[in-house]
Each structure stands twice: as structure tokens, then as C-alpha cells.
Amino acid sequence: MPVYTYKVKNSEGEIFSGETKVNSKEVLLDLFNKHGYKPVEIIEKTFVTDVSQISIFRKKVKIADLAQFCRQFSIMLEAGISIAGALDVLRDQTVNPTLKDCLNDIYNNIQKGISLSSVMHSFPDIFPPILLSMVEAGEVSGQLDRVFTRMAEHFEKEHKQMQKLKAAMTYPIIVFVIAVLVVVIMVVKVIPTFGEALLGMNVELPKLTQIMLNMSNFFTTYWYLVLFALVVLIIGIKMMSKTDKGKNLLDKIMLKFPIVTDVIKTMMTARLSRALGTLLSSGVLMLESLEITRRVLNNSILIEKMDKAIESVKQGRSLTQSITEMQYFPPLIVSMLKTGEEAGNLDETLEKAANFYEDQTGEKIQKLMTFIEPLIMIGLGGVVAFIIFSVLYPMLSVYQNIGNY
């Protein structure tokens, strides 16, 4: 969304300046005309004048930032502070520069009489769909403080889950990096040394050894091409993941691995339960809650299945029937949904299910990591053994031949 700096004049001739994010210059002019301001100067910020407009230089707003924002906002609203007053305090206290700029813009628009939900909808890259819908529901019901409390709990639990995932992945990543470094050192330093010794003996090298020496020579001579190819591959995968077809393909590949599939299904079940339960408990209608939950899941395969489930609910079927027809979620969550619907406390049941499956996700991630660690070590051992065998075998043959004379 474009960023504009502006100077405007009010009816009394006083000049005010500021900065805001809107869809276009025309939208900004309409806002000024609506509130009786006469534009003096409007300048759109570009990457030439402000490097923060380049996405790679803009600091991302993380889940932890959103959790802290919602928690502080809810506390101030519960204390009786107005929305504008709370935003005024929060924009000064917020450390993340991207969120700080966003809150500045929200505060300025709130002062102009625009609703909080309307302004927040202007920042879809910062505020996720679930938060936007919850704020809108909170404004309608007059329970904005409770909404922000629930969203703070939601983001805090999601952040905790992400921390568990990072903690579980730290050791395998370290082992993998060390393994790669060992292989690189052997290919770049060790093999060329042995290769020179073998060539100096004037012996015919086995094909396996010759292939290894050629690979080593290629990597040491054209290392920059290898590095460039790796960078292109990483960027290509990232770009592909942002397209519908690419993301669908990557999700399908991930679901081909049995243990990984189990972790993903458990994680998606926890996310569905948490998001849907939070929305329903705040008074958001079932169909709207399902639509929002569909976007929160962030899995193309599951999104396709959710589309069918939403259509099923529209046709009059119960949520339990629609979820069962998806043939994706485990039987336990289906049973819990049925119990919740029959008892009339679906939101509470979903919250209990979310707690259970979040714990299950942590355990299954830990199991996955303990499975991956020995695989990395076995892979490293195999590569090192292959390199040693291909280099030392011809040398042993030479020494044996010398001993025979």
C-alpha cells in the first residue's frame, strides 16, 4: 500500500502535516475533502526516497508483536481509556518500526472519525484476517476489550507453539550445517590433496575416483556458480510458494512423507480448533467464522477441502457432517465437534480441542526431530565413507602392488 506525506490547510488557515497509508492519492483527497481540509502538498514515498518502502528492508510484524499489542490494548480499554488514548500510548511504546508506523496512521485516522476496524483493514499485511474480523465483531457488540483479550491469548498460544517448533528444530539444523561444512571441507581441501598424490604415482585411477576428483575440481574452480545456483534455487522456491500452483505443489510434496503428514494434520487441527473457537465465542456467525478460519489455516490442500465443507454448511448440513466429509481431520476432533454441537457449547469444546492438539503438536514435532537427527548423521557418515573409499582405494592398490615387487 502506498505511503504519502502531506500538508493540509483547515478552514482557519492552519497548516498540518503528516504521513498515512491509503490505496491511492484519490482516496486520500476524498478523505481530506470529507473532513474539510484543503491539500497543500501530497508526496508519495518511493524506495528512492525511503528504503523502508522496499519489502526486504521493512521489519516484519511477528506474532509476538501482535500478542503484545493486543494484550496492552485490552488492558487499557478495560481501564476505561478511549481507543484514541490507548493508541496514543501504544504508538509511543511500540518498538517494532513497522507496527509503530501502522499505529501512527491508525491513530491519525481515528482522530478523523474513522472506525478502528475500517482503518485496520487497510493493513492486511500486518493484521491477520482473524484479528480484523474479531475487531469488527467487537465494535458491533460493544465488547472490544474482551475481543482484544481473546486475541492476545490466541496470539500468545500461537507464539508459544512457534517457539516450541524452533526449539525442536535448533539441534537438527546445527547438525545439518556441521555435516554440510564437513563435506565441503573434504571436497575442497582433502580430496585435491589426495588427488595430487595419486596423479604423481602415474597409476590408472578407478572411474569412481576419477568422478570424485572431477567433482572436487569443479567445485573448487566454479564455486561461485554453485553458490549462484543455490541462491537462485532458494529464491525460486520462495517465489513458487507465493503462487497458487507452486504452493499447492509444495504442500503435496510435504504430505508425501508419512511422519511429516501426521505433524501437519495435528498442527492444522489445533489451528482450526483455536481459530474457529475464538471466533464463535466472540459472536461471529458460523459461515463467516469458517471463511476466516479457512484463510488462517495457510495450507492449500486443506483450503480446498474447507471450501467444500463451507458449501456443505451452506446447504444445511451440520458442521460435524461437513468436517467428516473432508476426510482429513482425526476422528477425535469429529467426535468432539458432534458433542459440542449437541450440547450447544461448541466454542468451549473447540477451545479444549485446541489445547489438546497443541500439546500433541509439540510432542509430534519432538518425535519428528529425533527421527531426523540420526538420518542426518547416517547421511553424513555415508557421504564421508564414500569420499574416503573413492580416494583411499586406489592408494591402497598402489601400496599393495609395490609390496609385491
Side-chain angles (χ1 to χ4, degrees):
M1 186 176 291
V3 179
Y4 296 92
T5 57
Y6 61 84
K7 289 182 181 178
V8 293
K9 187 186 294 184
N10 64 10
S11 57
E12 297 175 357
E14 295 175 316
I15 293 179
F16 300 93
S17 61
E19 183 177 299
T20 187
K21 293 180 183 179
V22 289
N23 290 323
S24 65
K25 189 175 180 180
E26 289 71 24
V27 173
L28 186 58
L29 287 170
D30 288 340
L31 283 172
F32 289 148
N33 291 331
K34 184 178 178 181
H35 293 90
Y37 293 106
K38 185 178 180 181
V40 176
E41 182 183 69
I42 298 176
I43 300 174
E44 181 181 355
K45 278 192 172 184
T46 64
F47 67 90
V48 177
T49 58
D50 185 5
V51 293
S52 67
Q53 299 308 304
I54 306 175
S55 59
I56 59 172
F57 292 110
R58 193 180 302 123
K59 190 172 181 180
K60 289 184 178 180
V61 178
K62 299 179 181 178
I63 295 173
D65 297 319
L66 291 174
Q68 187 177 19
F69 162 69
C70 291
R71 179 63 68 190
Q72 291 176 335
F73 207 169
S74 68
I75 291 170
M76 283 187 276
L77 291 176
E78 286 172 2
I81 300 173
S82 66
I83 294 174
L87 287 168
D88 192 24
V89 175
L90 284 172
R91 65 179 183 160
D92 291 332
Q93 293 181 350
T94 301
V95 177
N96 187 298
T98 304
L99 184 57
K100 191 181 187 74
D101 291 342
C102 172
L103 293 179
N104 276 328
D105 192 65
I106 292 174
Y107 174 78
N108 292 331
N109 282 285
I110 289 290
Q111 294 289 74
K112 296 171 188 175
I114 303 172
S115 68
L116 179 62
S117 59
S118 298
V119 183
M120 288 179 69
H121 270 89
S122 302
F123 301 93
D125 295 335
I126 294 176
F127 301 117
I130 187 171
L131 178 57
L132 296 174
S133 296
M134 289 283 285
V135 170
E136 194 172 344
E139 284 183 327
V140 173
S141 64
Q143 297 180 337
L144 204 54
D145 53 343
R146 290 182 63 188
V147 161
F148 274 103
T149 300
R150 284 182 183 142
M151 289 314 302
E153 293 170 355
H154 173 82
F155 289 127
E156 284 164 359
K157 287 174 181 177
E158 196 168 330
H159 175 63
K160 190 176 179 181
Q161 198 71 18
M162 292 299 296
Q163 291 299 105
K164 285 182 181 179
L165 178 61
K166 288 179 182 178
M169 290 181 64
T170 300
Y171 181 70
I173 289 172
I174 292 172
V175 172
F176 178 75
V177 171
I178 293 172
V180 171
L181 287 174
V182 168
V183 172
V184 169
I185 291 170
M186 291 193 74
V187 169
V188 175
K189 294 290 183 183
V190 179
I191 292 176
T193 303
F194 280 100
E196 290 175 6
L198 290 170
L199 292 172
M201 294 177 182
N202 294 320
V203 295
E204 186 178 352
L205 300 177
K207 287 185 178 180
L208 185 65
T209 305
Q210 191 61 57
I211 291 170
M212 184 59 64
L213 289 174
N214 290 339
M215 286 176 59
S216 175
N217 184 56
F218 176 81
F219 281 115
T220 51
T221 306
Y222 301 104
W223 60 269
Y224 52 90
L225 290 178
V226 177
L227 186 63
F228 177 75
L230 283 173
V231 172
V232 169
L233 178 64
I234 293 168
I235 293 174
I237 291 173
K238 269 199 164 186
M239 291 178 66
M240 187 173 74
S241 67
K242 291 181 179 178
T243 64
D244 292 337
K245 288 184 178 179
K247 192 170 188 326
N248 191 270
L249 177 63
L250 291 173
D251 287 338
K252 282 181 179 177
I253 292 171
M254 289 297 290
L255 291 173
K256 293 291 182 183
F257 302 98
I259 301 178
V260 177
T261 301
D262 192 30
V263 173
I264 292 172
K265 281 187 176 182
T266 307
M267 190 182 293
M268 290 299 106
T269 304
R271 191 171 290 181
L272 171 96
S273 304
R274 179 67 63 196
L276 190 56
T278 302
L279 289 162
L280 292 174
S281 65
S282 299
V284 181
L285 298 175
M286 175 62 77
L287 283 174
E288 188 180 349
S289 297
L290 288 171
E291 287 284 357
I292 297 164
T293 302
R294 169 189 173 276
R295 286 177 279 168
V296 170
L297 293 174
N298 195 29
N299 182 286
S300 59
I301 308 299
L302 190 50
I303 285 172
E304 289 177 5
K305 291 179 178 290
M306 278 294 291
D307 287 336
K308 293 178 182 178
I310 291 169
E311 286 301 318
S312 179
V313 172
K314 286 179 180 177
Q315 291 169 10
R317 292 191 181 91
S318 67
L319 178 63
T320 305
Q321 288 175 315
S322 304
I323 294 295
T324 304
E325 288 170 1
M326 290 175 66
Q327 297 181 345
Y328 183 90
F329 295 107
L332 179 59
I333 186 64
V334 176
S335 299
M336 293 182 77
L337 286 173
K338 185 177 181 181
T339 304
E341 281 191 308
E342 290 174 352
N345 58 350
L346 187 57
D347 53 344
E348 294 177 12
T349 304
L350 284 167
E351 187 176 348
K352 291 175 183 177
N355 292 331
F356 173 76
Y357 281 104
E358 281 167 357
D359 292 338
Q360 286 284 301
T361 301
E363 292 175 10
K364 290 189 177 183
I365 288 171
Q366 194 63 51
K367 286 180 182 178
L368 177 62
M369 293 303 111
T370 53
F371 176 76
I372 289 174
E373 288 166 21
L375 281 182
I376 295 172
M377 297 304 295
I378 292 168
L380 172 62
V383 171
V384 172
F386 175 76
I387 292 171
I388 292 173
F389 178 78
S390 62
V391 173
L392 293 183
Y393 177 72
M395 293 188 73
L396 290 172
S397 300
V398 170
Y399 290 140
Q400 285 176 356
N401 291 332
I402 292 172
N404 292 331
Y405 287 106

